[in-house]
Amino acid sequence: MSVLSPGTLGEALGILAKDHAATPLSGGTDLLVHWPVRLEAHERTYLDLSGVNELKAHTWTKRDLVLGGRTTYWDIVGDSQAAREFPLLVAAARVVGAIQIQTRGTWAGNIVNASPAADGVPALMAYGAVVVLESTAGREEVPLDRFYQGYKKMSRRPDQLIVAIRIPRRSYDVQVFQKVGSRRAQAITKVGLAITRSDLGWRVVANSVAPTVCRCHAVEHMLESKVPVSSPDGFFQGLERDISPIDDIRSTAEYRKIVLSRLIYFELRGACDWIT
Ligand SMILES: Cc1cc2nc3c(=O)[nH]c(=O)nc-3n(C[C@H](O)[C@H](O)[C@H](O)COP(=O)(O)OP(=O)(O)OC[C@H]3O[C@@H](n4cnc5c(N)ncnc54)[C@H](O)[C@@H]3O)c2cc1C
C-alpha cells in the first residue's frame, strides 16, 4: 500500500492526473470498513485528503450553501444557519452511523461511495444539490439527480475530485426526512425518504429502494397534478414506476414498497388537502 499526502488541492489534482488508480481518502469510514477482508485494497495507492485544507470548510454565499469536498456531517450539525435553512441536512447527518462516524464521514464520501442506502444523498438531492468536480483539466458541475447512471456508476472520472457540493438557497414550505432502520443509530437504512416543495415544485427522493438513491418522478407528478389520494396504496401506481426494491437481509421488496407509500402518505396528509 502507498499513501500520498498532498498539502494543496493543486498537488492532489496533479497526482490524480498522473495516477488514475489513486483512490481519494477522506474520512475513510467507507473505504476502511472492508480493509480486513479485501486484500486487493492493500495494494492500492491512497490519496489522503486530510492535508488539503481548501476542501474542509463549508461557506454561505448569497445564492448557495457550498459544502467542501471534506466537509463532514458534524460540520453541518454544528451550524445553526443550516438548521434553519436546510433542516433535512441536519436530520440526515444525525442518523448517519453515530457521532464518531458523523465527525469523520463526509458528504462527498457518501456521494462517491454511491450506496443505494446512503442517507446524506436523499437530503442533498431533495434540495437540488449540484456536485462540483475538478481535475487539472478544469471544473465541471453535475446536478446530483443526474450524477448516478446505475449501481455504483457515476459521472466522475478517476482524475476528478469532488471539490464542493453546491446547494441553492430557496424557500421551502414542505420539508420531510425519514429513515426507517432497525434502530435509531448505527443502522443501515431499510427505506428512506426526503421530500421538499419549493417554487420549483416537488422533489421526492427515496433510498434503499433502487440500485441508486433516486428521485420518484411519477410520485412528484401525482403531487404536482394534485391527484387525490385517500390511503397509502394510492401511491402504489406511481411507486411501481419509480422504484425497483429487492429482497435482502434487511427487508423484502414488498415491505419496502409498503413502508415507502405509508411514509409519503402520512407525512403529506396534513400538508396537502388532496391527500385525505
Ligand atoms: C459504523 C459505520 C456506520 C455507518 N452508518 C452510515 C449510515 O447510517 N448512513 C450512511 O449513509 N452511511 C453510513 N456509513 C458509511 C459512511 O460513513 C458514509 O458513507 C460517509 O459519508 C463516507 O464518507 P468518508 O469521508 O468516510 O468516505 P471515504 O471512506 O473516505 O471514501 C468513500 C468513497 O468516496 C471517495 N471520495 C471521498 N472523498 C472524495 C472526494 N472529495 N472526491 C472524490 N472522491 C472522494 C473515496 O475514494 C471512496 O470511494 C457508516 C460507516 C460506518 C463505518
Side-chain angles (χ1 to χ4, degrees):
M1 170 179 89
S2 81
V3 179
L4 304 173
S5 301
T8 65
L9 178 58
E11 272 180 56
L13 296 178
I15 292 167
L16 279 183
K18 283 198 213 109
D19 182 355
H20 287 189
T23 304
L25 176 75
S26 288
T29 62
D30 274 315
L31 280 177
L32 296 184
V33 165
H34 303 292
W35 182 263
V37 285
R38 290 205 187 145
L39 294 182
E40 81 282 2
H42 297 196
E43 305 302 322
R44 285 189 197 159
T45 298
Y46 290 92
L47 183 70
D48 172 17
L49 299 177
S50 62
V52 183
N53 291 330
E54 297 122 284
L55 296 181
K56 178 73 179 123
H58 67 283
T59 50
W60 293 89
T61 69
K62 204 168 163 205
R63 298 164 61 118
D64 302 302
L65 163 60
V66 184
L67 307 182
R70 279 182 53 220
T71 298
T72 64
Y73 301 105
W74 202 246
D75 292 328
I76 295 307
V77 168
D79 184 330
S80 56
Q81 181 84 7
R84 278 193 299 278
E85 286 197 41
F86 296 108
L88 306 189
L89 295 185
V90 178
R94 291 311 301 260
V95 295
V96 173
I99 289 175
Q100 295 90 333
I101 298 297
Q102 293 160 20
T103 56
R104 282 201 68 86
T106 62
W107 297 89
N110 200 236
I111 292 174
V112 177
N113 185 54
S115 164
D119 289 314
V121 176
L124 290 169
M125 213 181 270
Y127 284 132
V130 175
V131 180
V132 184
L133 297 154
E134 190 167 334
S135 70
T136 52
R139 270 196 178 210
E140 184 188 346
E141 295 204 348
V142 183
L144 182 55
D145 64 349
R146 283 191 247 138
F147 188 67
Y148 300 113
Q149 284 99 43
Y151 179 68
K152 302 258 177 190
K153 290 202 176 80
M154 66 203 92
S155 301
R156 174 191 162 252
R157 298 193 314 268
D159 65 331
Q160 288 177 315
L161 282 178
I162 294 185
V163 291
I165 303 156
R166 194 168 60 71
I167 308 164
R169 297 172 82 170
R170 293 197 178 96
S171 293
Y172 293 95
D173 64 349
V174 176
Q175 298 181 81
V176 170
F177 179 85
Q178 284 285 348
K179 167 173 176 166
V180 176
S182 49
R183 53 184 181 241
R184 285 177 70 84
Q186 301 289 29
I188 297 179
T189 299
K190 293 173 190 237
V191 182
L193 173 70
I195 304 179
T196 57
R197 182 173 63 182
S198 70
D199 54 336
L200 294 185
W202 288 92
R203 282 223 169 190
V204 178
V205 184
N207 57 340
S208 292
V209 291
T212 67
V213 176
C214 62
R215 269 182 78 178
C216 298
H217 290 285
V219 171
E220 288 175 3
H221 185 69
M222 287 176 72
L223 295 170
E224 297 294 353
S225 315
K226 302 191 177 179
V227 173
V229 173
S230 56
S231 74
D233 306 6
F235 286 109
F236 278 0
Q237 210 183 344
L239 287 177
E240 296 288 353
R241 277 183 276 156
D242 289 330
I243 65 173
S244 48
I246 55 167
D247 296 342
D248 68 11
I249 50 165
R250 280 182 289 282
S251 348
T252 63
E254 188 64 9
Y255 171 89
R256 290 181 153 117
K257 186 179 81 176
I258 291 170
V259 170
L260 183 58
S261 69
R262 291 177 71 82
L263 290 177
I264 298 171
Y265 175 77
F266 287 109
E267 284 292 345
L268 296 185
R269 195 168 55 164
C272 308
D273 55 16
W274 64 94
I275 300 175
T276 54

